[in-house]
Structure formats: structure tokens, C-alpha cells
């Protein structure tokens, strides 16, 4: 019976190690996704401020109201949902 107990303990230890490895990989994935989102938000905020410098001193709510007002302009409805080559151009 002793060898079976040792085998069970070894397998339980291996399972714990694999579970910990899985947690580490999930954390890395989450961190990478968060970093990508943060970069995207910063990049788009910089674009907004460069195109509309008046938004720099505005609060978040004021910027939101400004963008909502822009989105209701007739010209905004004519814009394509996704301009060609929008991704990958910097």
C-alpha cells in the first residue's frame, strides 16, 4: 500500500503545480490585455486632444458631452463605421 500512497501524493503535488502554472498564465494573459487596453486608451486620448485642443482642460463628463454632441451632427452619420486602414496606422 505504501507505493500507492506515494504515487497519489506525487500526483496530487503535480496537480497543484499545474494549477499554479495555470493561474500564472491566466494572470499574464489578463495583464497583457490590460496593458493593451491602457495603451489604446492613452493613444486615443492623445489623438482626441491633438484634434480638439479645447478638450484638454475639460472634465471627463464635459468631454463625453462634447463627443455626444459631435455624434449627433448630420455629418457624423455619414462617416463609415470603420475607416479603411484604421488598424495598424500610427
Amino acid at each position: 500500500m505504501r507505493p500507492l500512497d506515494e504515487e497519489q501524493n506525487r500526483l496530487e503535488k503535480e496537480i497543484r503545480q499545474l494549477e499554479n502554472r495555470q493561474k500564472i498564465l491566466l494572470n499574464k494573459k489578463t495583464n497583457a490585455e490590460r496593458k493593451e487596453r491602457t495603451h489604446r486608451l492613452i493613444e486615443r486620448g492623445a489623438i482626441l486632444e491633438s484634434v480638439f485642443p479645447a478638450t484638454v482642460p475639460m472634465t471627463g463628463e464635459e468631454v463625453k458631452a462634447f463627443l455626444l454632441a459631435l455624434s449627433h451632427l448630420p455629418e457624423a452619420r455619414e462617416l463609415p463605421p470603420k475607416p479603411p486602414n484604421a488598424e495598424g496606422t500610427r
Side-chain angles (χ1 to χ4, degrees):
M1 265 313 223
R2 184 76 176 152
L4 291 177
D5 289 339
E6 289 175 6
E7 177 71 8
Q8 182 178 358
N9 289 338
R10 186 185 65 76
L11 291 174
E12 287 173 353
K13 181 180 178 182
E14 188 175 338
I15 289 170
R16 283 192 306 274
Q17 288 174 341
L18 290 172
E19 287 172 343
N20 286 335
R21 244 175 85 198
Q22 182 181 26
K23 286 179 189 178
I24 289 169
L25 291 174
L26 288 174
N27 284 339
K28 284 183 180 181
K29 180 183 176 199
T30 301
N31 288 338
E33 289 170 350
R34 185 180 304 118
K35 184 177 179 180
E36 183 179 312
R37 180 176 186 269
T38 299
H39 175 77
R40 186 179 68 249
L41 292 174
I42 291 170
E43 182 178 49
R44 291 180 183 176
I47 292 168
L48 173 69
E49 289 183 355
S50 70
V51 174
F52 299 106
T55 61
V56 173
M58 290 182 180
T59 66
E61 286 299 315
E62 291 170 334
V63 172
K64 181 178 178 180
F66 173 74
L67 292 173
L68 283 172
L70 283 179
S71 72
H72 290 97
L73 293 175
E75 295 84 2
R77 292 187 191 105
E78 296 171 10
L79 294 174
K82 196 171 196 179
N85 297 325
E87 291 297 318
T89 57
R90 291 187 185 190

